[in-house]
Amino acid sequence: MIPALSLRPRGAVLAALLVATAPLAWADGGGRAAPLLPQYQQECGACHVAYPPSLMPAASWSRLLGKLSAHFGTDASLDAATLQTLSTWVQSQAGSNRRVREEPPQDRITRSTWFEREHREVSQATWKLPAVKSPANCAACHTQAETGDYRERNIRIPR
């Protein structure tokens, strides 16, 4: 006798598809990839690159999400349910390795020691290019930033 196949509920199948097709965040600079939560990608990516949570420690993310009404000069407030979902997910994905354990000044990824070290060869003139404008504009040089891939092979410095 052939055993009967059990069918998964539609919600579980949909969730599996979302995770399987979600953009990947190259955790801690390369190597292993973690999918970005689609809701995080939607909410945070609406205004800027949805930075992989692995780029900062949990305490920094907690402070950032705790003051979204004054998010770097912009009101980025979210409803309570969305905020709870994103907070829980970001905390579980936050950087914890030696490189990102430090809490950067003003909780800015671009002010962290590791970020400054990785970008030390970038000239001040490059940061001021019209296509770049600031260190926070990752997508200007990291061609796959929208998918969370910051590997060096995908860097193209604008002219």
Side-chain angles (χ1 to χ4, degrees):
M1 178 175 201
I2 299 173
L5 295 174
S6 64
L7 297 177
R8 293 182 180 177
R10 286 185 197 174
V13 172
L14 179 59
L17 283 172
L18 285 173
V19 169
T21 60
L24 296 177
W26 291 92
D28 302 325
R32 100 195 134 85
L36 290 178
L37 183 70
Q39 192 172 14
Y40 175 80
Q41 180 88 18
Q42 176 186 342
E43 295 295 343
C44 301
C47 298
H48 57 74
V49 169
Y51 303 108
S54 62
L55 298 180
M56 279 198 313
S60 292
W61 287 112
S62 182
R63 282 189 296 274
L64 277 178
L65 292 173
K67 54 183 179 182
L68 287 176
S69 62
H71 186 65
F72 301 109
T74 301
D75 184 351
S77 298
L78 297 169
D79 64 83
T82 300
L83 181 59
Q84 180 61 47
T85 298
L86 297 186
S87 294
T88 300
W89 180 76
V90 166
Q91 291 298 311
S92 73
Q93 300 297 313
S96 60
N97 75 12
R98 186 171 44 100
R99 186 179 89 162
V100 296
R101 223 174 275 147
E102 153 214 349
E103 296 172 26
Q106 301 168 338
D107 296 318
R108 289 181 180 265
I109 294 168
T110 58
R111 304 269 321 274
S112 66
T113 302
W114 71 262
F115 181 94
E116 290 176 350
R117 185 176 51 251
E118 288 289 325
H119 295 86
R120 66 183 171 266
E121 70 280 358
V122 178
S123 71
Q124 288 303 309
T126 299
W127 293 126
K128 293 176 184 174
L129 289 172
V132 178
K133 297 181 185 166
S134 87
N137 184 10
C138 302
C141 302
H142 294 273
T143 62
Q144 300 299 310
E146 294 293 332
T147 66
D149 182 347
Y150 292 85
R151 292 177 293 175
E152 285 190 33
R153 72 172 129 192
N154 297 317
I155 295 174
R156 303 291 178 271
I157 308 294
R159 304 255 181 250

